[in-house]
Amino acid sequence: QKEVEQNSGPLSVPEGAIASLNCTYSDRGSQSFFWYRQYSGKSPELIMFIYSNGDKEDGRFTAQLNKASQYVSLLIRDSQPSDSATYLCAVTEGGGADGLTFGKGTHLIIQP
Amino acid sequence: EAGVTQSPTHLIKTRGQQATLRCSPISGHTSVYWYQQALGLGLQFLLWYDEGEERNRGNFPPRFSGRQFPNYSSELNVNALELEDSALYLCASSLEAGYSNSPLHFGNGTRLTVT
């Protein structure tokens, strides 16, 4: 059974610091990796996706992928109170057939 | 551009009844996915529809079913409701069948409560 593991937190980070969120996955066939942000009572919102090993940057967000270690992370620079949310890691083999497999999420709290 | 829309926002049913949830994808999106988000369990894949056909389903019993209409909107039906079916049901759409170029975009969900 495919598994995606995340530390549930809460992860508390001071405002302006770098927040580091980690995710490991069990299926070596996973090809695509996604980070979603979910505010309490709201639906998940796509932040970033990454397919290749290495880093991918988008504004204050950087996704990092290491397929050999089956590890994907999300860095949030200059953290803001509005970044406080649950961050969901999701993986898939691609092609749509298997659906996205989600982790249970990490609850991030940015302290003003 | 309108996002994924779901109705109703909230639904309260009693055990044994049937529930029908509806979803309209983003215009131009042909694939619709249903997920269940129960407390403490995270998002669980339920069903995938593309071009009017059920393409795959997750590890859920047959009383969870649905369909996709010619306009690509979708309906999720849950028969013989059980208390543990209480959850947030999320619909998502993507531009094409595959994730490499078209990540999922979620609706705001339907909160189903079974009493």
Side-chain angles (χ1 to χ4, degrees):
Chain A
Q1 184 173 347
K2 301 172 188 174
E3 292 182 348
V4 177
E5 299 288 340
Q6 295 182 256
N7 188 321
S8 61
L11 173 65
S12 186
V13 173
E15 183 176 357
I18 296 175
S20 178
L21 305 164
N22 304 316
C23 170
T24 59
Y25 57 95
S26 64
D27 184 8
R28 285 195 171 274
S30 298
Q31 295 294 324
S32 304
F33 307 87
F34 302 82
W35 283 99
Y36 284 82
R37 176 176 62 198
Q38 187 174 25
Y39 293 111
S40 180
K42 302 294 185 182
S43 62
E45 171 192 12
L46 179 68
I47 298 176
M48 290 191 69
F49 54 89
I50 186 168
Y51 310 125
S52 303
N53 278 328
D55 295 359
K56 179 182 178 182
E57 186 174 318
D58 184 0
R60 296 187 296 113
F61 299 95
T62 299
Q64 299 175 316
L65 175 62
N66 184 325
K67 289 185 178 181
S69 299
Q70 294 175 246
Y71 176 92
V72 59
S73 66
L74 179 71
L75 302 178
I76 306 174
R77 290 181 299 281
D78 189 23
S79 298
Q80 304 296 311
S82 59
D83 294 326
S84 298
T86 296
Y87 288 80
L88 303 171
C89 173
V91 306
T92 182
E93 289 183 5
D98 59 336
L100 284 176
T101 301
F102 282 85
K104 292 184 180 181
T106 297
H107 184 203
L108 175 65
I109 298 172
I110 305 301
Q111 295 179 322
Chain B
E1 176 184 82
V4 177
T5 57
Q6 291 186 246
S7 64
T9 303
H10 294 87
L11 188 58
I12 299 174
K13 294 286 186 177
T14 57
R15 193 168 52 183
Q17 286 187 316
Q18 177 194 40
T20 299
L21 289 65
R22 296 180 176 84
C23 171
S24 293
I26 293 172
S27 177
H29 286 196
T30 62
S31 274
V32 170
Y33 303 82
W34 287 94
Y35 284 83
Q36 181 195 66
Q37 189 173 33
L39 196 63
L41 292 182
L43 278 153
Q44 304 291 320
F45 169 65
L46 264 167
L47 289 158
W48 170 38
Y49 292 96
D50 183 66
E51 296 287 353
E53 299 286 333
E54 180 181 304
R55 301 297 184 181
N56 200 17
R57 64 182 295 126
N59 188 25
F60 282 85
R63 57 190 186 83
F64 287 84
S65 65
R67 53 181 171 167
Q68 186 178 34
F69 300 98
N71 66 353
Y72 303 114
S73 66
S74 177
E75 190 174 271
L76 174 68
N77 295 294
V78 188
N79 294 320
L81 284 165
E82 301 178 2
L83 296 178
E84 53 265 35
D85 296 332
S86 296
L88 180 66
Y89 289 83
L90 290 162
C91 172
S93 71
S94 69
L95 186 59
E96 57 186 285
Y99 297 106
S100 60
N101 295 318
S102 53
L104 300 188
H105 299 271
F106 285 88
N108 289 328
T110 293
R111 174 73 62 185
L112 173 63
T113 302
V114 182
T115 62

